[in-house]
Amino acid sequence: MPKAYRYRLYPTKSQVSRLEQTLEICRWVYNETLAMRKNACEQEQKHISYYESKRQIPLWKKERPELSTVYSQVLQDVSLRVDLAFKAFFRRVKPGEKPGYPRFKGKGRYDSFTYPQYGFKLDGDRLHLSKIGDVRIVLHRPVNGTIKTLTIRRSSTRKWYASFSVEDDPSPTPQKETAVGIDVGLESFVTLSNGEKIENPRFFRTDEKALAKAQRKLSKAGKGTRERKKARKIVAYVHERIANRRLNFAHQASRHLVDRFGTIVFEDLNIEKMKKNHHLAKSIADVAWNQFIVITKSKAEEAGSRVILVNPRNTSQTCSRCGMIVAKTLSDRVHSCPRCGLVMDRDQNAAINIMRLGLQSQG
C-alpha cells in the first residue's frame, strides 16, 4: 500500500539559496510549458502531449544554461505536473463542472519539486540531493518500505520538508469484531454509537483573536516594506499553528478509533454544500471532518480494519429503536420518540442509525 512520510529539513544558508533557485527554475519551466501548450491549443488547435513537452527541455537548456543546475528528472516532473493539470481540467469539463483552466505561477507561488526515481539518497541524518548537496534531516521515525519518489517542499513560513512516497506491505493486526457508528458534529467533534463523545477542540476559534490581530498589522503595513514582510510571516505562522494542531488531533482521534474497532461507519457528507450555510461555514471548516475521515481510512487499511460511508439522509431524524421519523431542528439536542418512548442524545441516536446502515450495507 502507498504511504507518505514527511520529515523536517535543516539546510544551510547556501543550500537554501540553491533550493530556492531550483524552485524558481522549476517555476519558469512550468510557465513556459503551460504557455507552449496553451498557445498550441488556442492558435493551432493542436494538442501537445507530455512526451512532446518533455522533449523541449534540452532545447531550453541550450538557451538558458542555468537549467542545467537542476537535476533533469526534476524538470521532467514539472512537465508532468502541467500535463496532470490539463487532464484534470478536461476531466472537469466533461461532466459540466466549473473547470478552472491551469494558471501560471507567480513569483513565490511555486513551493515544491519532485525527484521521481533517482537523484536522492538517504544516509543517516543526511539527505543527499543531486545538484544541491547533503541536507540535514530529522528522521523522527524510520521509513518503512520501498521509497518511490521524494518531494521537497517549502512551507509558507519558509520551513523545508522532505516527503517520501513509499510502497509498503502492510502487516494487519487480527480483525476486530467490534463495530461503531460515528456521528460528526459541531457541538461535539464526534459522537460514538456507544454514547462516547470526543469534544470539539475548535482550534481556529481559539486562535481567531491572535489571527485577527496579526492580520490587522498586515493590512496597516505599507506594501513592499520590511514591516509588511514581517507581518505576513506572523500571519502565516498562526495559520500553520492552527493547521498543525488540527492535523495532530485528527491523527490521535483516528488512532483511538482504529485501535478499538474493526468496522467504523461514517456518513458520506457533502461538506462543500454544507459550507454554503454562512452561519456554520467557519465552524464546519474548523472541524475538518473530511481530513479526519481520510486519515481514519488510511490507518484502518493499514490495521486490517474497514471504514464504511453511508447515505446521511434522515440519520438524525429516524428513531434508532422503532424507525419512526421524528423531525428536529438543529437546536433540538435530545431525541424523544412519541411512538416507543425512546429518549436519548440526538447525536448518539444518529450514530446508532449510521452503524445500522453500515452493517446492513455489508450484509
Side-chain angles (χ1 to χ4, degrees):
M1 60 178 290
K3 293 180 67 176
Y5 292 87
R6 190 179 77 152
Y7 303 96
R8 180 81 183 273
L9 295 176
Y10 290 91
T12 63
K13 287 185 178 180
S14 61
Q15 288 171 342
V16 168
S17 298
R18 289 196 289 271
L19 287 166
E20 292 185 339
Q21 182 186 12
T22 300
L23 287 176
E24 277 302 297
I25 291 173
C26 288
R27 184 178 73 88
W28 184 89
V29 172
Y30 185 97
N31 289 340
E32 284 296 308
T33 306
L34 177 55
M36 180 179 65
R37 294 186 62 155
K38 183 174 182 285
N39 293 336
C41 184
E42 293 177 352
Q43 298 173 11
E44 306 172 25
Q45 287 73 51
K46 177 185 175 185
H47 173 70
I48 295 181
S49 69
Y50 159 62
Y51 295 100
E52 289 175 293
S53 60
K54 188 170 70 170
R55 285 196 289 269
Q56 190 68 25
I57 294 175
L59 303 179
W60 288 336
K61 283 185 177 180
K62 293 178 182 178
E63 301 172 5
R64 299 177 66 97
E66 64 268 24
L67 266 65
S68 298
T69 62
V70 179
Y71 188 63
S72 59
Q73 284 198 0
V74 170
L75 297 179
Q76 291 171 12
D77 180 77
V78 175
S79 295
L80 178 61
R81 292 187 184 191
V82 178
D83 187 64
L84 292 174
F86 272 100
K87 286 179 178 177
F89 168 74
F90 290 120
R91 185 174 63 248
R92 290 190 293 268
V93 166
K94 285 183 180 179
E97 299 176 14
K98 189 175 180 181
Y101 197 83
R103 295 189 295 178
F104 293 98
K105 304 290 186 181
K107 187 173 178 64
R109 294 286 183 176
Y110 200 94
D111 292 324
S112 68
F113 59 91
T114 300
Y115 291 87
Q117 290 174 304
Y118 308 106
F120 64 92
K121 184 181 178 182
L122 193 58
D123 185 14
D125 65 344
R126 298 288 164 176
L127 176 63
H128 175 75
L129 302 175
S130 180
K131 307 282 187 174
I132 293 172
D134 294 333
V135 183
R136 188 163 76 88
I137 184 172
V138 176
L139 293 171
H140 58 274
R141 59 173 175 162
V143 182
N144 296 321
T146 305
I147 298 174
K148 294 294 184 180
T149 66
L150 166 65
T151 298
I152 304 299
R153 187 175 302 277
R154 179 185 63 192
S155 74
S156 59
T157 55
R158 299 293 182 178
K159 295 174 184 175
W160 294 89
Y161 294 92
S163 296
F164 296 96
S165 177
V166 171
E167 284 289 343
D168 188 22
D169 293 325
S171 52
T173 56
Q175 180 68 48
K176 307 174 191 70
E177 298 298 327
T178 49
V180 68
I182 306 289
D183 180 61
V184 295
L186 298 177
E187 190 71 25
S188 297
F189 180 67
V190 295
T191 301
L192 280 59
S193 52
N194 61 10
E196 295 178 28
K197 290 178 179 285
I198 298 177
E199 293 306 312
N200 185 357
R202 294 181 173 86
F203 293 114
F204 182 83
R205 296 288 187 182
T206 302
D207 274 356
E208 195 170 14
K209 288 185 179 179
L211 180 61
K213 182 179 178 181
Q215 288 173 330
R216 282 197 299 271
K217 287 185 177 180
L218 175 62
S219 64
K220 290 177 183 177
K223 291 186 177 180
T225 62
R226 184 177 296 177
E227 289 75 16
R228 187 174 181 86
K229 186 177 179 181
K230 183 179 178 181
R232 185 185 294 114
K233 196 170 184 180
I234 294 172
V235 171
Y237 269 117
V238 177
H239 277 296
E240 183 182 63
R241 184 172 69 220
I242 294 169
N244 286 343
R245 288 174 177 173
R246 187 183 290 130
L247 180 64
N248 182 59
F249 175 79
H251 274 290
Q252 290 182 346
S254 60
R255 173 55 61 194
H256 175 71
L257 294 175
V258 170
D259 286 346
R260 294 175 60 194
F261 302 104
T263 301
I264 304 169
V265 189
F266 290 100
E267 292 174 297
D268 190 8
L269 297 172
N270 187 341
I271 296 172
E272 290 303 316
K273 186 177 179 180
M274 294 171 69
K275 285 182 183 178
K276 292 181 180 179
N277 182 336
H278 297 297
H279 297 289
L280 300 176
K282 186 185 291 187
S283 296
I284 291 172
D286 192 14
V287 287
W289 292 325
N290 189 57
Q291 180 188 63
F292 172 63
I293 293 171
V294 169
I295 291 174
T296 305
K297 274 184 173 181
S298 174
K299 292 187 187 302
E301 183 181 359
E302 186 178 3
S305 301
R306 58 182 175 177
V307 171
I308 304 170
L309 300 180
V310 299
N311 190 335
R313 184 179 181 183
N314 286 335
T315 53
S316 294
Q317 311 294 335
T318 304
C319 178
S320 59
R321 179 184 289 173
C322 67
M324 181 182 178
I325 300 296
V326 182
K328 305 179 189 69
T329 64
L330 283 174
S331 60
D332 296 327
R333 305 313 305 167
V334 176
H335 168 78
S336 180
C337 180
R339 179 191 289 174
C340 67
L342 177 65
V343 178
M344 69 187 314
D345 180 84
R346 68 169 284 164
D347 294 336
Q348 184 184 0
N349 177 73
I352 294 171
N353 288 327
I354 291 166
M355 183 179 69
R356 175 179 51 81
L357 290 172
L359 296 179
Q360 285 177 353
S361 69
Q362 299 298 304

